[in-house]
Amino acid sequence: FAPGAEAALLDRCGDDQFLLQNEIAKLAALSGYTTITTQMIQQLGTVTLDADTFDMVKLVAAGNTRQALAKLQTEPILITGALIGNYLDIYRAFLAKKSRRPLADLAKDFKYTGKRNYRLGNADQTAARFQRSQIEESLRILQKLDLDLKGSRLDAPLLMQKAICELSLARSRA
């Protein structure tokens, strides 16, 4: 692996050993069994739903709404559930940091192990871009989206696009 490539692979796949084994085999063949680079991983690597939605959260947090909208390619209810989980991770990390609790305590309290522990580290980094009110507003938006997707006759992709735009607006309000 080239420097940073292992982290890029974990970002995209999580720590599922079966998926990682398959991805490494595929990328090794692509590299001609030499060095696997970050570019190869970005070009050909599989992205899990968790990783894809966390990328969406990072894009929203950075103000890149258009790129976040471009990631809406999976079943809307699955995306919404994953987004809610990601924002809850961010909220927990945010509150832990504000109360000066170590992430290790948070991981223990909420049973973050393996893949979930990796998610907590990502959430901790992303939480620094938010204020508490922004995270809470984002969770309200996602709750409404979940209810709308399950009980509305409106077009699901349209509801998703609206929610991503609302998340971006919530993030931009100080």
Side-chain angles (χ1 to χ4, degrees), residues 7-24:
L9 186 60
L10 284 172
D11 276 346
R12 294 176 69 86
C13 296
D15 64 355
D16 179 316
Q17 295 300 308
F18 181 73
L19 180 59
L20 283 172
Q21 183 179 7
N22 289 335
E23 286 301 297
I24 291 170

Side-chain angles (χ1 to χ4, degrees), residues 10-11 14-16 50 54 85-86 89-90 92-93 102-125:
L10 284 172
D11 276 346
D15 64 355
D16 179 316
D50 273 344
F54 205 81
N86 287 318
D89 291 339
I90 290 168
R92 290 172 180 154
L103 275 184
D105 288 353
L106 183 63
K108 182 180 173 193
D109 291 346
F110 288 95
K111 298 179 178 36
Y112 284 91
T113 59
K115 186 177 184 178
R116 287 187 45 85
N117 199 26
Y118 183 76
R119 284 179 53 180
L120 184 58
N122 277 338
D124 183 50
Q125 291 174 353

Side-chain angles (χ1 to χ4, degrees), residues 69-85:
L69 286 168
K71 291 193 163 285
L72 294 176
Q73 299 171 1
T74 307
E75 168 61 35
I77 291 176
L78 293 176
I79 292 174
T80 303
L83 282 171
I84 290 168

Side-chain angles (χ1 to χ4, degrees), residues 13-89:
C13 296
D15 64 355
D16 179 316
Q17 295 300 308
F18 181 73
L19 180 59
L20 283 172
Q21 183 179 7
N22 289 335
E23 286 301 297
I24 291 170
K26 176 175 67 176
L27 293 165
L30 175 66
S31 73
Y33 299 94
T34 59
T35 303
I36 296 173
T37 66
T38 304
Q39 182 182 12
M40 290 175 186
I41 293 167
Q42 291 171 349
Q43 175 187 358
L44 195 63
T46 299
V47 180
T48 64
L49 180 61
D50 273 344
D52 205 28
T53 55
F54 205 81
D55 283 347
M56 288 173 71
V57 172
K58 287 179 181 178
L59 290 167
V60 167
N64 296 325
T65 308
R66 183 171 293 186
Q67 290 175 315
L69 286 168
K71 291 193 163 285
L72 294 176
Q73 299 171 1
T74 307
E75 168 61 35
I77 291 176
L78 293 176
I79 292 174
T80 303
L83 282 171
I84 290 168
N86 287 318
Y87 272 93
L88 286 173
D89 291 339

Side-chain angles (χ1 to χ4, degrees), residues 86-156:
N86 287 318
Y87 272 93
L88 286 173
D89 291 339
I90 290 168
Y91 195 49
R92 290 172 180 154
F94 179 88
L95 293 175
K97 187 172 283 189
K98 288 296 179 190
S99 63
R100 296 188 176 115
R101 291 196 65 208
L103 275 184
D105 288 353
L106 183 63
K108 182 180 173 193
D109 291 346
F110 288 95
K111 298 179 178 36
Y112 284 91
T113 59
K115 186 177 184 178
R116 287 187 45 85
N117 199 26
Y118 183 76
R119 284 179 53 180
L120 184 58
N122 277 338
D124 183 50
Q125 291 174 353
T126 305
R129 295 181 166 182
F130 286 94
Q131 294 175 8
R132 182 178 181 160
S133 61
Q134 293 169 319
I135 302 169
E136 290 171 348
E137 178 64 18
S138 296
L139 287 168
R140 282 190 286 276
I141 291 165
L142 290 168
Q143 179 185 25
K144 182 176 181 338
L145 172 61
D146 187 51
L147 293 172
D148 286 348
L149 286 170
K150 293 173 181 172
S152 174
R153 293 182 185 203
L154 293 174
D155 184 52

